[in-house]
Amino acid sequence: MRGKQELIDKLIGIQSSRKSYYSELNAIVGELQKKNKQLEVINRLTQIHVEKSWEEVSNYLAAQFSQVLSFDRFVLTLIDKSELLFYISQPDATDWSCHFVKRSIQTKTALSVGEFKKLLKKEMPDHYGTSVCLQNQSGKIYGFLTLLNRNRVEYPREDLELYKTMGEHVRVSIENILLFKDVSEKVKIEAQLIQSAKLAALGEMAAGIAHELNSPLTAILGHVQLLMREIKEGRPGKMLEDIYQCGLRSKKIIQNLLTFSRQEEYQFETIDLPDLIEDVLGLIGYQLAVSGISIQKDIDRTLPPVRGSRNQIEQVLINLLLNAKDAVQEKSDPEIIIGTCLASLEERPYVSIYVRDNGVGIEEEDISQIFNPFFTTKEKMKGTGLGLSVSLGIAESHGGKLLVDSKVNEYSQFSLLLPIQESEGVE
Ligand SMILES: Nc1ncnc2c1ncn2[C@@H]1O[C@H](COP(=O)(O)OP(=O)(O)OP(=O)(O)O)[C@@H](O)[C@H]1O
Ligand SMILES: [Mg+2]
């Protein structure tokens, strides 16, 4: 009987020690679970949403990598022309938080891993980094992934292999994001070009119509005013008042249209922006304050002066402030910030004057339309839908831009960018 049992034990490999058999089995199960986890993580690395910001991407990668490799911090580095963009993620109480550092690099040729390591060491001198590079199909290195540790760590070969495989998957995701950002930028530029062409055509047409309408309208208003002096009472008096108000409103539209289409109407001068902003707030600040809106100023006084038409720039800011006022009307803590800062777009320097509100925001499908003449979401008698198209015309006649950024129910920010002349800002 015993001989039989021994034989069975031998056949199934337990032999003398059941304990070692189970611990072996446990080790195999553990190994399989680990491999499974690694596969799960690798799978998740290819699911990064293309619309995420680079900070979010870095935190997401750090969270995934930390499930299978140990490290103190994680860095996603991207090379953008002559700049290195470091997105450094570190764990906080519950999640990962990212901080961003930008550095210029001198090298004209592609950056090697060795050179990159030296640059990273300069940035994080008290850390040791283990990096893999991100390389596109044609072999060009466009970034790096780095595991940072406060103490020198020798990762086992198996971990390094895994890290390399993960890097390969991240590369695909990052290339998709880069491609998406590139395409969205092109689509945006194309939309702007179409819009400018459309506006130019509309501008010419509008100027003609506005001129034609201006004289009869002046006559209508004049005659109604005369009649109003004679007939003040009753229904006729009320009707005349209505005709007069509608006439005034039409005149306002026509004046806006004329400003919108006029090109060399105003004299350009050197403008002191803080001073101009004070003037604008002097004009409508009171109106905003009595509506219970808090107005904050965030003015950079060190900016170079810009050249432009004072009247027209004032008009843009008034349009933007009035829009902001309408947007925050229903808010319990209405706030508008007007500020200035340096900005750069397509590698050209601008001074930006921005108006930001914490109002209703703009629906995504409306963003492409708000600069079109007559586009308005306001009640019939309230908005003419010309404010922004007039403002865009003014921005463009200054060689500048009018940009918008908004999130529904959170904020809207409009930035008027005015070019800094080459000779200004130097010296
Ligand atoms: N700060 C803002 N917040 C939310 N929506 C805005 C903001 N600014 C503009 N908009 C949207 O853009 C539309 C167009 O603005 P625009 O200034 O051209 O016209 P309007 O304000 O409607 O009329 P007008 O300025 O001629 O009296 C607005 O109706 C509104 O829907
Ligand atoms: Mg408006």
Side-chain angles (χ1 to χ4, degrees):
M1 194 62 196
R2 262 187 75 220
K4 206 172 162 190
Q5 185 58 46
E6 259 173 40
L7 196 63
I8 292 171
D9 283 356
K10 269 185 188 157
L11 279 174
I12 60 173
I14 298 179
Q15 298 209 347
S16 56
S17 158
R18 279 165 200 272
K19 229 168 143 192
S20 84
Y21 170 72
Y22 282 118
S23 58
E24 248 172 59
L25 199 62
N26 267 340
I28 293 173
V29 171
E31 190 60 27
L32 281 175
Q33 278 172 340
K34 194 169 132 191
K35 284 267 180 294
N36 235 348
K37 178 107 225 158
Q38 292 175 352
L39 282 174
E40 261 174 44
V41 168
I42 288 178
N43 190 31
R44 278 200 294 270
L45 289 176
T46 53
Q47 295 168 4
I48 309 175
H49 202 280
V50 286
E51 282 187 49
K52 279 201 187 313
S53 68
W54 291 120
E55 280 85 353
E56 286 170 326
V57 171
S58 180
N59 286 342
Y60 180 83
L61 293 178
Q64 298 306 325
F65 275 65
S66 69
Q67 293 186 32
V68 287
L69 293 165
S70 63
F71 52 91
D72 295 324
R73 290 179 186 196
F74 175 84
V75 191
L76 164 67
T77 311
L78 294 174
I79 305 171
D80 184 19
K81 294 184 193 113
S82 59
E83 280 179 332
L84 272 187
L85 315 175
F86 296 108
Y87 297 90
I88 305 166
S89 293
Q90 63 185 78
D92 59 19
T94 53
D95 208 347
W96 291 80
S97 67
C98 183
H99 98 114
F100 170 61
V101 183
K102 185 159 79 172
R103 293 283 177 254
S104 299
I105 40 175
Q106 246 71 65
T107 59
K108 287 263 179 297
T109 52
L111 198 67
S112 69
V113 184
E115 286 164 327
F116 168 72
K117 273 191 166 162
K118 275 189 218 147
L119 290 168
L120 188 68
K121 193 79 196 157
K122 247 203 252 165
E123 243 11 270
M124 316 283 289
D126 50 348
H127 281 77
Y128 296 92
T130 311
S131 301
V132 289
C133 59
L134 300 167
Q135 222 165 357
N136 66 14
Q137 298 292 348
S138 51
K140 189 174 163 231
I141 296 179
Y142 62 87
F144 299 89
L145 304 177
T146 309
L147 306 179
L148 283 179
N149 286 292
R150 253 169 249 115
N151 299 316
R152 195 185 277 280
V153 175
E154 286 295 335
Y155 286 100
R157 205 171 58 87
E158 183 186 346
D159 279 1
L160 290 177
E161 287 295 323
L162 171 68
Y163 184 31
K164 251 169 102 180
T165 313
M166 289 170 80
E168 198 45 40
H169 283 79
V170 171
R171 179 185 72 79
V172 177
S173 296
I174 293 205
E175 270 172 36
N176 281 343
I177 300 176
L178 284 168
L179 199 65
F180 174 78
K181 290 195 192 298
D182 194 32
V183 171
S184 340
E185 192 54 32
K186 290 208 170 104
V187 169
K188 230 159 76 190
I189 292 173
E190 195 183 8
Q192 274 170 2
L193 280 178
I194 294 173
Q195 197 184 31
S196 305
K198 231 164 53 185
L199 284 175
L202 262 168
E204 251 173 63
M205 213 173 75
I209 298 176
H211 268 296
E212 288 298 313
L213 290 181
N214 211 13
S215 333
L217 203 58
T218 312
I220 293 174
L221 279 170
H223 287 132
V224 171
Q225 264 179 314
L226 287 176
L227 277 174
M228 278 165 74
R229 273 193 216 157
E230 288 173 29
I231 310 168
K232 289 204 181 83
E233 306 298 318
R235 209 154 160 250
K238 174 93 186 43
M239 284 162 89
L240 283 176
E241 174 65 32
D242 273 355
I243 296 176
Y244 182 65
Q245 286 307 330
C246 289
L248 278 187
R249 185 174 147 74
S250 311
K251 202 159 169 79
K252 183 183 155 202
I253 297 180
I254 285 174
Q255 267 159 2
N256 269 337
L257 277 176
L258 282 172
T259 321
F260 170 61
S261 52
R262 237 172 246 154
Q263 261 134 36
E264 65 296 84
E265 186 73 9
Y266 293 96
Q267 290 276 314
F268 272 36
E269 55 186 305
T270 302
I271 296 172
D272 176 17
L273 285 176
D275 190 49
L276 181 144
I277 290 172
E278 281 308 324
D279 276 1
V280 169
L281 290 179
L283 276 174
I284 61 163
Y286 177 74
Q287 194 185 336
L288 302 179
V290 290
S291 319
I293 300 168
S294 135
I295 309 260
Q296 308 289 333
K297 279 184 287 178
D298 186 11
I299 314 282
D300 181 346
R301 289 181 186 277
T302 61
L303 298 178
V306 286
R307 282 187 66 75
S309 150
R310 202 181 163 93
N311 274 338
Q312 287 190 322
I313 294 173
E314 277 181 5
Q315 192 187 344
V316 173
L317 295 185
I318 289 174
N319 283 340
L320 298 182
L321 285 166
L322 290 178
N323 280 348
K325 170 182 167 257
D326 289 341
V328 297
Q329 211 106 63
E330 308 282 308
K331 285 270 159 163
S332 55
D333 55 345
E335 185 181 73
I336 298 177
I337 305 172
I338 181 163
T340 55
C341 60
L342 271 185
S344 132
L345 194 71
E346 290 144 18
E347 296 184 4
R348 292 175 65 186
Y350 292 89
V351 163
S352 162
I353 315 163
Y354 62 89
V355 173
R356 186 183 175 96
D357 66 70
N358 62 351
V360 289
I362 305 168
E363 298 283 348
E364 224 174 297
E365 65 260 31
D366 286 347
I367 291 258
S368 60
Q369 303 205 57
I370 54 173
F371 294 103
N372 286 343
F374 302 111
F375 176 83
T376 180
T377 55
K378 295 174 189 171
E379 299 152 39
K380 229 175 170 189
M381 290 304 277
K382 214 166 162 215
T384 65
L386 281 170
L388 285 179
S389 53
V390 167
S391 305
L392 180 67
I394 293 176
E396 286 178 348
S397 70
H398 280 72
K401 313 254 175 202
L402 186 60
L403 307 179
V404 57
D405 177 25
S406 178
K407 199 160 182 194
V408 171
N409 279 327
E410 286 189 23
Y411 70 90
S412 300
Q413 175 162 330
F414 285 85
S415 309
L416 170 66
L417 303 192
L418 296 172
I420 298 174
Q421 258 70 40
E422 298 280 283
S423 56
E424 285 162 357
V426 200
E427 275 176 314

